């Protein structure tokens, strides 16, 4: 009887350990995102806000460059609690549901206030966001400035390049309804 109970209890644990081992084996190695983050280290100012399309990539991004600020990390609930509208945009952009993401990223994903206000100029993404990637490049608001086997970095342009599908409601400067206060950010020229 005890042996039967042991087998019944141990079988799910062995199965779970096997599934977890397979998950870990399928994860990226220690150099995942290293190239893209090295590029950002050379081209982005310390304290600059980076739009990362996957919140769960944050630990790796922060490991390679803790001097940058990231839109979402550790848990997307923090962004949701801070600003529901911004979180809605973040989700739609990451899923490729926003056809014209440039003005939203340029005008809503910002830190600081007044003269200290700085908006995101770069988007860091892996290759799992084809919808966003295509919408971004088709919109004319982005340049691909870096790409490797693990990641892509897009730069938000100040003005649209060529024809675009910009929505009229994003044609003027807009800000999020809630300013994200980050006093530790340096003053950038």
């Amino acid at each position: 009887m005890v042996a039967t109970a042991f087998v019944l209890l141990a079988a799910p644990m062995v199965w779970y350990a096997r599934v977890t081992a397979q998950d870990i084996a399928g994860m990226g190695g220690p150099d995942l995102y290293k190239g893209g983050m090295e590029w950002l280290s050379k081209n982005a100012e310390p304290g600059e806000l980076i739009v990362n399309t996957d919140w769960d990539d944050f630990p790796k991004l922060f490991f390679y460059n803790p001097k940058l600020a990231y839109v979402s990390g550790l848990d997307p609930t923090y962004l949701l609690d801070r600003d529901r509208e911004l979180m809605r945009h973040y989700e739609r952009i990451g899923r490729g549901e926003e056809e014209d993401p440039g003005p939203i990223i340029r005008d809503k994903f910002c830190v600081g206030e007044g003269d200290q206000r700085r908006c995101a100029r770069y988007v860091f993404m892996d290759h799992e966001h084809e919808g966003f990637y295509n919408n971004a490049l088709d919109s004319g608001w982005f340049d691909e400035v870096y790409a490797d086997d693990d990641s892509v970095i897009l730069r938000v342009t100040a003005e649209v390049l060529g024809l675009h599908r910009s929505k009229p409601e994003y044609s003027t400067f807009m800000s999020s309804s809630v300013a994200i206060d980050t006093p530790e950010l340096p003053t950038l020229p």
Side-chain angles (χ1 to χ4, degrees):
M1 181 81 145
V2 172
T4 303
F6 177 76
V7 169
L8 290 175
L9 292 173
M13 288 189 285
V14 169
W15 176 82
Y16 183 72
R18 184 167 187 255
V19 169
T20 301
Q22 289 172 341
D23 284 348
I24 291 170
M27 290 181 178
D31 291 338
L32 183 70
Y33 304 149
K34 184 177 182 180
M37 292 309 294
E38 285 176 347
W39 188 93
L40 277 173
S41 294
K42 293 175 187 169
N43 293 281
E45 298 290 328
E48 187 159 352
L49 180 64
I50 307 300
V51 175
N52 50 310
T53 55
D54 276 323
W55 66 268
D56 58 349
D57 289 337
F58 170 79
K60 199 64 123 163
L61 305 181
F62 187 79
F63 171 78
Y64 283 118
N65 195 330
K67 294 180 181 180
L68 296 174
Y70 303 91
V71 167
S72 186
L74 298 180
D75 187 339
T77 306
Y78 294 118
L79 180 58
L80 177 66
D81 288 345
R82 181 66 181 201
D83 188 337
R84 287 186 178 278
E85 177 190 1
L86 198 60
M87 183 61 181
R88 183 178 56 82
H89 288 302
Y90 180 75
E91 289 176 332
R92 287 182 47 79
I93 287 168
R95 289 191 299 241
E97 295 171 0
E98 184 58 56
E99 291 182 2
D100 194 18
I104 297 169
I105 290 172
R106 182 198 65 211
D107 298 340
K108 291 186 172 284
F109 287 86
C110 305
V111 293
E113 294 183 33
D115 292 343
Q116 301 297 313
R117 183 178 173 86
R118 300 291 180 261
C119 298
R121 294 187 308 147
Y122 296 107
V123 176
F124 183 97
M125 60 182 285
D126 57 25
H127 293 286
E128 296 178 10
H129 296 274
E130 186 177 342
F132 164 72
Y133 177 81
N134 291 333
N135 287 341
L137 293 183
D138 288 348
S139 74
W141 286 104
F142 296 85
D143 290 327
E144 183 178 298
V145 292
Y146 178 87
D148 64 17
D149 291 340
D150 300 321
S151 60
V152 174
I153 298 172
L154 302 177
R155 183 184 57 191
V156 182
T157 60
E159 295 181 10
V160 72
L161 304 172
L163 298 175
H164 70 289
R165 315 184 281 228
S166 186
K167 296 180 181 176
E169 63 265 32
Y170 298 128
S171 63
T172 59
F173 183 82
M174 299 170 65
S175 65
S176 174
S177 61
V178 177
I180 300 173
D181 183 26
T182 55
E184 70 280 7
L185 291 177
T187 302
L188 303 175

